[in-house]
Amino acid sequence: MRYLTGLVAGDALRAAKNSPYATPRNGTCVAYIAAYPIPEVQRGINAFTLGCKARFADCVVKVVWTGTWHSVEVEGAAAHFFWNEEKCDLITQHSDTTEPQTVFKAYGGLGIGYNSDMREVVGNSVLTAPMLEWGPIFQEFVDQVAADNWVTNYQAWPGAAEGAVKLMPTFSPKVDPATVQYVEQQHDLLKAAKGINAFHHTFCGPLLKRWAYQFADTTAMSGARASGFLQE
């Protein structure tokens, strides 16, 4: 789903200056607020970036690691930094509060939410969001328990085909209808692909990254680590 939301972001960045679907300053930067540099978060950054660059090759995804999953104060400060210092017009996140979306809406920016329909809370500045659907994830385990057939160390990896991951129920009207159509087509392709084929659909090919570390004073931010770094 991160890949699909990257497609939405890329189309917003590449939209013509006078388009109602364009970002406010027509920049090339996407802000990405990330909690911790663990595989789950890093692969999401990769997938989002691949999607964004598939639609707008000049996009630059800038990441700040906050050291927290849930902090209105820290996530809000990161969002202000991205808008004012990095000049990003669009923000996305792998963190839990709506504060990054709220901050960017106040500035006139756009956003990609996470894990809930943040548009219901923030408004139409939230273009879409990747979401988990826990029912299909737990169903297999519940069935094993009900049948007294529990499999020790069993791992399940349900995805789009099983309905375990999805996008926000509706797109914002700030998303170009042509983008909506294209993303829905790509979503259908993901749902039709299973196993290794689903992986190759997005991640086949070399992944290159360049790291730039930026240490920031976060002593005033309760619950945050003493330092963080920026990934470009």
Side-chain angles (χ1 to χ4, degrees), residues 46-84:
N46 286 337
F48 177 87
T49 303
L50 286 170
C52 194
K53 285 188 171 292
R55 301 301 282 173
F56 182 62
D58 292 333
C59 80
V60 177
V61 178
K62 297 188 176 183
V63 179
V64 160
W65 303 99
T66 61
T68 175
W69 291 112
H70 190 284
S71 171
V72 170
E73 183 181 18
V74 174
E75 293 171 50
H80 285 294
F81 165 78
F82 273 130
W83 179 272
N84 293 304

Side-chain angles (χ1 to χ4, degrees), residues 37 59 83 111 184 188 214 222:
C59 80
W83 179 272
E184 288 178 343
D188 288 342
Q214 175 175 304
S222 61

Side-chain angles (χ1 to χ4, degrees), residues 25 34 41 46 50 60 68 72 96 99 109 123 143 147 152 159 184 187-188 191 194 211 215 219 226 230:
R25 296 176 292 192
V41 180
N46 286 337
L50 286 170
V60 177
T68 175
V72 170
D96 291 332
E99 191 65 13
D143 289 344
T152 304
E184 288 178 343
H187 193 186
D188 288 342
K191 287 189 287 188
K194 295 184 178 182
W211 294 91
F215 290 87
T219 54
L230 177 72

Side-chain angles (χ1 to χ4, degrees), residues 3-28:
Y3 175 78
L4 298 180
T5 62
L7 298 176
V8 174
D11 272 6
L13 291 175
R14 75 170 187 162
K17 188 174 184 178
N18 60 349
S19 168
Y21 309 113
T23 57
R25 296 176 292 192
N26 290 106
T28 61

